[in-house]
Amino acid sequence: RQDLNVLATELPARHLDLFAHLSRADFDAAVQRLDAAIPTLKDPEIVVELMRLSAMAGDGHTWANPQVAPFYAGWRFFPLKLYWYPDGLRVVRTDMANAGLQGHRVVQIGGLPIEAVERLVTPLVSHENDNWVRARSPLMLVSLEILQALKVLPDGAAGRFVLEGPDGGRVTADLEAKSLAEVGPVFATLPAPAPAPLSLRHPDLNYWYEYLGVQGVVGKMAE
């Protein structure tokens, strides 16, 4: 409750315009609901609700990051690096034990269609457009604690994923969640292919631009 009080007090005070897309009444009501619910919630559930509260701001610069925040130190993740493509959410990297899943499309998590799980995590991502949700949700979709807090997965360290292979056949994988330190290499930035696409040409730079003479435009990236 002290953490909630700090967030409820400092976020409106420090944000340039917290209520640009949010009414003060709705924010205060959400704070009161969480304050009343805290005694009945587990720690990860409280953190997820704090994420939901901060995401109400509706801007991509006000959010809680489950990969770097200190209070996530003991959280566990499934060894799947996911990416949203036009045809769905696919596995782009995993560990050696599950190498056969690479390239597969995620169909279900914990018995729920992936579309339903995406709808559950969307309110945890402060965003102005769907692209930001698609950029941030893959890590949430392999977080054991987030999936359990949203009632997608039961208690325990395992999670069931149903995936579809290139041939259309489905595979059920019961995966074990591990610490971020253990699965960190799975989430590491992949080496750029040669020739690298525009978005991967300068992974060492936070900001850069390049004039594309053929198209007559300036391409730029901000990490």
Side-chain angles (χ1 to χ4, degrees), residues 15-64:
H15 197 287
L16 289 178
D17 189 2
L18 181 63
F19 302 109
H21 309 291
L22 166 69
S23 75
R24 181 67 192 242
D26 287 345
F27 179 77
D28 290 344
V31 170
Q32 292 172 10
R33 286 194 300 271
L34 179 52
D35 183 73
I38 280 176
T40 68
L41 300 177
K42 299 176 182 177
D43 284 356
E45 294 173 329
I46 295 172
V47 172
V48 165
E49 292 309 312
L50 291 173
M51 294 170 64
R52 189 190 309 276
L53 185 62
S54 63
M56 291 177 69
D59 73 75
H61 295 274
T62 304
W63 63 296

Side-chain angles (χ1 to χ4, degrees), residues 101 104 169:
L101 301 179
H104 282 48

Side-chain angles (χ1 to χ4, degrees), residues 114-130:
I114 188 60
E115 296 82 6
V117 184
E118 183 189 13
R119 287 194 293 271
L120 290 174
V121 302
T122 294
L124 308 183
V125 183
S126 187
H127 62 282
E128 295 115 12
N129 54 61
D130 293 339

Side-chain angles (χ1 to χ4, degrees), residues 60 63 65-67 125-126 131-141:
W63 63 296
N65 186 342
Q67 193 171 10
V125 183
S126 187
N131 285 337
W132 196 237
V133 176
R134 290 293 175 94
R136 293 300 181 187
S137 62
L139 185 63
M140 296 181 179
L141 292 170

Side-chain angles (χ1 to χ4, degrees), residues 4 99 143 172 176 218:
L4 174 61
S143 165
T172 299
E176 181 182 355
V218 173

